[in-house]
């Protein structure tokens, strides 16, 4: 059924997000704190984005140490959506060679064994905040060529959803050790449950607030229970939305508004 979670909406500014979840905002920093060499400044637009597409720079939440012995703390960092493993070759322009598949999603069932994800699963787990995500439901009754219907899944309480993710760092060949790397991430998906299963067979893996730190802990192994869970499933509501979302060129609050009756095929 194609990839799961290929578009989402996030309208909270990274600085505000950091404040909200008691994190350090490193989303625009050109370098991290002392001793933390894995922060690169990204060309990040902090404005609301109602149509986040793969390869966009997005906000991600990690837990990291500043000094090796200190307590790890939550940080908000800018990352490219679409994981670029460290072994990816350097292209002519000095950036990563991205000819391979876009690793925007990682299946929960395979993160600990897949060569692309298993190293990140050990100690580079993150959270990817979003207002909601889009999914397209086929209309088999209307024939094979019929347009799919877009739906928006979101936090019914108006609060952000936090999706389980993995992240990693990539450096161009021959780059100095202290050069800030490119940070990239992927969203973990799992089998859909409840009403969401009627729209698509996969959904992002939600992590509920009490489990955030356990999920991100850089010093603990991955929590298999969280990988098999559906953290915030009970908070998720679904609504049909307009087909405007089909084009990445469209971006505004109208994308998440309920579909108009004429768009819902009643006429």
């Amino acid at each position: 059924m194609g990839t799961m979670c290929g578009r989402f909406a996030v309208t909270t500014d990274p600085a505000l997000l950091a404040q909200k979840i008691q994190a350090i905002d490193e989303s625009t920093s050109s370098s991290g704190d002392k001793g933390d060499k894995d922060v690169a400044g990204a060309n990040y637009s902090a404005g609301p984005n109602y149509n986040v597409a793969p390869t966009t720079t997005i906000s991600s939440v990690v837990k990291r140490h500043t000094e090796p012995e200190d307590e790890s703390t939550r940080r908000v960092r800018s990352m490219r959506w679409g994981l670029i493993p460290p072994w990816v070759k350097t292209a002519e322009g000095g950036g990563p060679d991205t000819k391979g598949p876009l690793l925007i999603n990682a299946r929960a069932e395979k993160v600990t064994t897949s060569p692309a994800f298993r190293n990140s699963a050990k100690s580079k787990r993150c959270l990817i905040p979003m207002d909601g995500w889009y999914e397209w439901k086929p209309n088999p009754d209307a024939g094979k060529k019929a347009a799919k219907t877009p739906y928006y899944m979101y936090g019914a309480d108006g609060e952000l959803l936090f999706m389980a993710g993995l992240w990693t760092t990539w450096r161009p060949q021959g780059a100095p050790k202290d050069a800030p790397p490119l940070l990239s991430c992927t969203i973990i998906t799992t089998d859909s449950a409840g009403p969401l299963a009627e729209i698509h067979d996969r959904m992002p893996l939600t992590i509920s607030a009490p489990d955030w730190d356990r999920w991100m802990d850089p010093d603990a192994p991955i929590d298999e229970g969280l990988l098999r869970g559906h953290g915030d499933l009970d908070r998720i509501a679904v609504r049909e939305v307009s087909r405007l979302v089909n084009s990445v060129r469209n971006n505004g609050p109208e994308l998440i508004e309920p579909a108009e009756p004429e768009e819902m095929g009643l006429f």
Side-chain angles (χ1 to χ4, degrees):
M1 280 182 88
T3 50
M4 169 38 243
C5 193
R7 299 277 188 81
F8 64 92
V10 61
T11 60
T12 305
D13 172 88
L16 201 64
L17 167 71
Q19 214 179 334
K20 206 171 178 151
I21 64 168
Q22 283 110 43
I24 302 163
D25 179 16
E26 295 179 342
S27 63
T28 51
S29 64
S30 54
S31 67
D33 300 316
K34 304 185 304 286
D36 197 348
K37 291 281 187 280
D38 54 18
V39 186
N43 48 350
Y44 188 80
S45 66
N49 189 341
Y50 292 91
N51 204 350
V52 179
T55 73
T56 308
T57 298
I58 60 173
S59 288
S60 171
V61 188
V62 299
K63 274 196 90 173
R64 303 302 280 168
H65 295 279
T66 303
E67 302 290 344
E69 298 303 311
D70 69 2
E71 193 85 9
S72 64
T73 48
R74 295 177 185 175
R75 330 266 169 122
V76 174
R77 292 184 177 174
S78 299
M79 298 190 187
R80 175 191 190 269
W81 180 26
L83 195 85
I84 299 168
W87 68 78
V88 166
K89 291 187 169 64
T90 306
E92 274 179 25
D97 180 344
T98 51
K99 283 202 271 288
L102 268 180
L103 302 175
I104 59 167
N105 292 149
R107 296 176 77 88
E109 304 83 348
K110 293 186 178 156
V111 292
T112 56
T113 54
S114 153
F117 303 125
R118 61 188 178 210
N119 276 346
S120 294
K122 281 181 193 148
S123 61
K124 287 187 163 76
R125 299 179 297 274
C126 60
L127 292 169
I128 295 167
M130 61 178 73
D131 293 42
W133 79 98
Y134 301 99
E135 208 47 80
W136 283 262
K137 183 182 180 179
N139 293 308
D141 303 346
K144 275 209 170 97
K145 294 256 161 68
K148 293 180 176 180
T149 307
Y151 286 85
Y152 180 59
M153 278 57 66
Y154 59 99
D157 53 7
E159 293 294 326
L160 287 165
L161 294 164
F162 287 79
M163 305 309 181
L166 303 172
W167 65 283
T168 193
T169 57
W170 179 88
R171 283 182 175 83
Q173 203 177 348
K177 282 274 179 276
D178 56 355
L182 172 68
L183 304 187
S184 62
C185 60
T186 187
I187 296 174
I188 296 177
T189 65
T190 186
D191 281 331
S192 287
L196 304 185
E198 292 165 28
I199 294 165
H200 198 281
D201 60 344
R202 304 290 291 176
M203 65 177 283
L205 175 63
T206 52
I207 304 283
S208 45
D211 297 321
W212 289 350
D213 290 319
R214 192 156 50 120
W215 171 256
M216 293 187 290
D217 188 345
D219 308 307
I222 197 162
D223 185 314
E224 299 279 350
L226 293 178
L227 259 188
R228 285 191 295 270
H230 276 97
D232 266 352
L233 187 66
D234 55 345
R235 279 182 54 216
I236 300 172
V238 182
R239 66 168 167 255
E240 187 178 327
V241 291
S242 128
R243 294 205 171 124
L244 287 170
V245 70
N246 293 8
S247 168
V248 179
R249 286 192 295 274
N250 296 329
N251 201 323
E254 63 280 4
L255 268 57
I256 64 171
E257 296 296 321
E260 295 295 323
E262 65 270 16
E263 286 198 295
M264 292 170 76
L266 300 178
F267 301 102

mmCIF file of all heavy atoms in Angstrom, residues 120-141:
data_model
loop_
_atom_site.group_PDB
_atom_site.id
_atom_site.type_symbol
_atom_site.label_atom_id
_atom_site.label_comp_id
_atom_site.label_asym_id
_atom_site.label_seq_id
_atom_site.Cartn_x
_atom_site.Cartn_y
_atom_site.Cartn_z
ATOM 1 N N SER A 120 21.009 3.273 14.785
ATOM 2 C CA SER A 120 20.220 4.371 15.364
ATOM 3 C C SER A 120 19.303 3.851 16.465
ATOM 4 O O SER A 120 19.109 4.513 17.486
ATOM 5 C CB SER A 120 19.385 5.053 14.282
ATOM 6 O OG SER A 120 20.214 5.703 13.342
ATOM 7 N N ALA A 121 18.753 2.644 16.260
ATOM 8 C CA ALA A 121 17.819 2.079 17.245
ATOM 9 C C ALA A 121 18.499 1.873 18.595
ATOM 10 O O ALA A 121 17.855 1.920 19.638
ATOM 11 C CB ALA A 121 17.245 0.765 16.726
ATOM 12 N N LYS A 122 19.827 1.671 18.573
ATOM 13 C CA LYS A 122 20.554 1.437 19.836
ATOM 14 C C LYS A 122 20.604 2.678 20.710
ATOM 15 O O LYS A 122 20.350 2.605 21.906
ATOM 16 C CB LYS A 122 21.981 0.974 19.538
ATOM 17 C CG LYS A 122 22.050 -0.494 19.172
ATOM 18 C CD LYS A 122 23.481 -0.939 18.892
ATOM 19 C CE LYS A 122 23.463 -2.310 18.228
ATOM 20 N NZ LYS A 122 24.596 -2.482 17.296
ATOM 21 N N SER A 123 20.957 3.825 20.145
ATOM 22 C CA SER A 123 21.146 4.999 21.012
ATOM 23 C C SER A 123 20.723 6.326 20.401
ATOM 24 O O SER A 123 20.925 7.363 21.006
ATOM 25 C CB SER A 123 22.611 5.089 21.428
ATOM 26 O OG SER A 123 23.415 5.240 20.270
ATOM 27 N N LYS A 124 20.195 6.299 19.179
ATOM 28 C CA LYS A 124 19.761 7.558 18.557
ATOM 29 C C LYS A 124 18.268 7.477 18.217
ATOM 30 O O LYS A 124 17.870 7.450 17.066
ATOM 31 C CB LYS A 124 20.587 7.857 17.303
ATOM 32 C CG LYS A 124 22.021 8.319 17.609
ATOM 33 C CD LYS A 124 22.711 8.768 16.335
ATOM 34 C CE LYS A 124 23.947 9.611 16.590
ATOM 35 N NZ LYS A 124 25.095 8.808 17.020
ATOM 36 N N ARG A 125 17.466 7.437 19.275
ATOM 37 C CA ARG A 125 16.010 7.425 19.098
ATOM 38 C C ARG A 125 15.493 8.835 19.395
ATOM 39 O O ARG A 125 15.972 9.490 20.317
ATOM 40 C CB ARG A 125 15.384 6.399 20.050
ATOM 41 C CG ARG A 125 15.876 4.976 19.780
ATOM 42 C CD ARG A 125 15.262 3.982 20.753
ATOM 43 N NE ARG A 125 15.627 4.212 22.137
ATOM 44 C CZ ARG A 125 16.736 3.735 22.722
ATOM 45 N NH1 ARG A 125 17.596 3.004 22.038
ATOM 46 N NH2 ARG A 125 16.977 3.985 23.989
ATOM 47 N N CYS A 126 14.532 9.265 18.614
ATOM 48 C CA CYS A 126 14.031 10.624 18.796
ATOM 49 C C CYS A 126 12.506 10.629 18.786
ATOM 50 O O CYS A 126 11.866 9.591 18.619
ATOM 51 C CB CYS A 126 14.566 11.533 17.687
ATOM 52 S SG CYS A 126 14.102 11.027 16.011
ATOM 53 N N LEU A 127 11.957 11.810 18.967
ATOM 54 C CA LEU A 127 10.514 12.017 18.840
ATOM 55 C C LEU A 127 10.313 13.050 17.747
ATOM 56 O O LEU A 127 11.079 14.017 17.649
ATOM 57 C CB LEU A 127 9.925 12.569 20.144
ATOM 58 C CG LEU A 127 9.921 11.620 21.337
ATOM 59 C CD1 LEU A 127 9.555 12.387 22.604
ATOM 60 C CD2 LEU A 127 8.948 10.464 21.118
ATOM 61 N N ILE A 128 9.307 12.846 16.919
ATOM 62 C CA ILE A 128 9.002 13.804 15.866
ATOM 63 C C ILE A 128 7.615 14.366 16.131
ATOM 64 O O ILE A 128 6.612 13.667 16.012
ATOM 65 C CB ILE A 128 9.150 13.143 14.481
ATOM 66 C CG1 ILE A 128 10.625 12.784 14.314
ATOM 67 C CG2 ILE A 128 8.669 14.099 13.385
ATOM 68 C CD1 ILE A 128 10.947 11.872 13.198
ATOM 69 N N PRO A 129 7.579 15.641 16.574
ATOM 70 C CA PRO A 129 6.298 16.252 16.923
ATOM 71 C C PRO A 129 5.534 16.678 15.677
ATOM 72 O O PRO A 129 6.137 17.135 14.704
ATOM 73 C CB PRO A 129 6.694 17.483 17.738
ATOM 74 C CG PRO A 129 8.116 17.763 17.416
ATOM 75 C CD PRO A 129 8.722 16.541 16.820
ATOM 76 N N MET A 130 4.248 16.498 15.713
ATOM 77 C CA MET A 130 3.402 16.963 14.607
ATOM 78 C C MET A 130 1.992 17.243 15.114
ATOM 79 O O MET A 130 1.564 16.696 16.124
ATOM 80 C CB MET A 130 3.380 15.931 13.470
ATOM 81 C CG MET A 130 2.834 14.565 13.836
ATOM 82 S SD MET A 130 2.781 13.404 12.416
ATOM 83 C CE MET A 130 4.507 13.001 12.174
ATOM 84 N N ASP A 131 1.290 18.114 14.389
ATOM 85 C CA ASP A 131 -0.122 18.371 14.709
ATOM 86 C C ASP A 131 -0.951 17.180 14.253
ATOM 87 O O ASP A 131 -1.945 16.822 14.874
ATOM 88 C CB ASP A 131 -0.628 19.610 13.980
ATOM 89 C CG ASP A 131 0.041 20.885 14.470
ATOM 90 O OD1 ASP A 131 1.256 20.882 14.686
ATOM 91 O OD2 ASP A 131 -0.660 21.872 14.648
ATOM 92 N N GLY A 132 -0.539 16.598 13.117
ATOM 93 C CA GLY A 132 -1.264 15.461 12.568
ATOM 94 C C GLY A 132 -0.624 15.029 11.269
ATOM 95 O O GLY A 132 0.304 15.670 10.788
ATOM 96 N N TRP A 133 -1.119 13.940 10.700
ATOM 97 C CA TRP A 133 -0.573 13.466 9.425
ATOM 98 C C TRP A 133 -1.707 13.127 8.475
ATOM 99 O O TRP A 133 -2.861 12.996 8.880
ATOM 100 C CB TRP A 133 0.368 12.279 9.654
ATOM 101 C CG TRP A 133 -0.289 10.946 9.874
ATOM 102 C CD1 TRP A 133 -0.487 9.968 8.942
ATOM 103 C CD2 TRP A 133 -0.828 10.421 11.104
ATOM 104 N NE1 TRP A 133 -1.116 8.879 9.522
ATOM 105 C CE2 TRP A 133 -1.333 9.131 10.851
ATOM 106 C CE3 TRP A 133 -0.930 10.928 12.413
ATOM 107 C CZ2 TRP A 133 -1.930 8.337 11.820
ATOM 108 C CZ3 TRP A 133 -1.530 10.140 13.389
ATOM 109 C CH2 TRP A 133 -2.018 8.861 13.091
ATOM 110 N N TYR A 134 -1.341 13.011 7.204
ATOM 111 C CA TYR A 134 -2.328 12.739 6.154
ATOM 112 C C TYR A 134 -2.183 11.308 5.643
ATOM 113 O O TYR A 134 -1.090 10.758 5.603
ATOM 114 C CB TYR A 134 -2.116 13.672 4.957
ATOM 115 C CG TYR A 134 -2.226 15.139 5.297
ATOM 116 C CD1 TYR A 134 -1.086 15.912 5.518
ATOM 117 C CD2 TYR A 134 -3.475 15.765 5.379
ATOM 118 C CE1 TYR A 134 -1.178 17.269 5.811
ATOM 119 C CE2 TYR A 134 -3.575 17.116 5.674
ATOM 120 C CZ TYR A 134 -2.414 17.871 5.890
ATOM 121 O OH TYR A 134 -2.513 19.208 6.180
ATOM 122 N N GLU A 135 -3.300 10.751 5.249
ATOM 123 C CA GLU A 135 -3.274 9.424 4.620
ATOM 124 C C GLU A 135 -4.349 9.423 3.546
ATOM 125 O O GLU A 135 -5.349 10.128 3.668
ATOM 126 C CB GLU A 135 -3.552 8.347 5.686
ATOM 127 C CG GLU A 135 -2.922 7.028 5.385
ATOM 128 C CD GLU A 135 -1.470 7.124 4.960
ATOM 129 O OE1 GLU A 135 -0.589 7.269 5.811
ATOM 130 O OE2 GLU A 135 -1.231 7.060 3.736
ATOM 131 N N TRP A 136 -4.121 8.625 2.512
ATOM 132 C CA TRP A 136 -5.066 8.582 1.389
ATOM 133 C C TRP A 136 -5.744 7.225 1.335
ATOM 134 O O TRP A 136 -5.078 6.193 1.321
ATOM 135 C CB TRP A 136 -4.328 8.858 0.079
ATOM 136 C CG TRP A 136 -4.021 10.305 -0.106
ATOM 137 C CD1 TRP A 136 -4.741 11.198 -0.852
ATOM 138 C CD2 TRP A 136 -2.938 11.062 0.466
ATOM 139 N NE1 TRP A 136 -4.176 12.452 -0.783
ATOM 140 C CE2 TRP A 136 -3.066 12.397 0.029
ATOM 141 C CE3 TRP A 136 -1.886 10.737 1.334
ATOM 142 C CZ2 TRP A 136 -2.184 13.409 0.398
ATOM 143 C CZ3 TRP A 136 -1.002 11.741 1.714
ATOM 144 C CH2 TRP A 136 -1.163 13.057 1.245
ATOM 145 N N LYS A 137 -7.062 7.239 1.286
ATOM 146 C CA LYS A 137 -7.820 5.986 1.270
ATOM 147 C C LYS A 137 -8.334 5.720 -0.152
ATOM 148 O O LYS A 137 -8.979 6.587 -0.747
ATOM 149 C CB LYS A 137 -9.001 6.092 2.244
ATOM 150 C CG LYS A 137 -9.815 4.819 2.368
ATOM 151 C CD LYS A 137 -10.995 5.046 3.313
ATOM 152 C CE LYS A 137 -11.833 3.787 3.455
ATOM 153 N NZ LYS A 137 -12.956 3.993 4.377
ATOM 154 N N PRO A 138 -8.039 4.541 -0.685
ATOM 155 C CA PRO A 138 -8.537 4.233 -2.029
ATOM 156 C C PRO A 138 -10.063 4.131 -2.022
ATOM 157 O O PRO A 138 -10.672 3.872 -0.981
ATOM 158 C CB PRO A 138 -7.918 2.864 -2.339
ATOM 159 C CG PRO A 138 -6.974 2.561 -1.231
ATOM 160 C CD PRO A 138 -7.318 3.435 -0.069
ATOM 161 N N ASN A 139 -10.662 4.344 -3.181
ATOM 162 C CA ASN A 139 -12.121 4.211 -3.322
ATOM 163 C C ASN A 139 -12.418 3.087 -4.300
ATOM 164 O O ASN A 139 -12.748 3.343 -5.457
ATOM 165 C CB ASN A 139 -12.724 5.527 -3.840
ATOM 166 C CG ASN A 139 -12.587 6.636 -2.818
ATOM 167 O OD1 ASN A 139 -12.978 6.466 -1.672
ATOM 168 N ND2 ASN A 139 -12.015 7.754 -3.216
ATOM 169 N N PRO A 140 -12.299 1.840 -3.860
ATOM 170 C CA PRO A 140 -12.436 0.718 -4.792
ATOM 171 C C PRO A 140 -13.804 0.669 -5.487
ATOM 172 O O PRO A 140 -13.898 0.260 -6.634
ATOM 173 C CB PRO A 140 -12.218 -0.515 -3.920
ATOM 174 C CG PRO A 140 -12.346 -0.052 -2.509
ATOM 175 C CD PRO A 140 -12.057 1.408 -2.482
ATOM 176 N N ASP A 141 -14.839 1.143 -4.807
ATOM 177 C CA ASP A 141 -16.184 1.108 -5.406
ATOM 178 C C ASP A 141 -16.267 1.975 -6.659
ATOM 179 O O ASP A 141 -17.052 1.717 -7.560
ATOM 180 C CB ASP A 141 -17.242 1.608 -4.412
ATOM 181 C CG ASP A 141 -17.208 0.789 -3.129
ATOM 182 O OD1 ASP A 141 -16.576 -0.287 -3.153
ATOM 183 O OD2 ASP A 141 -17.783 1.226 -2.116
#
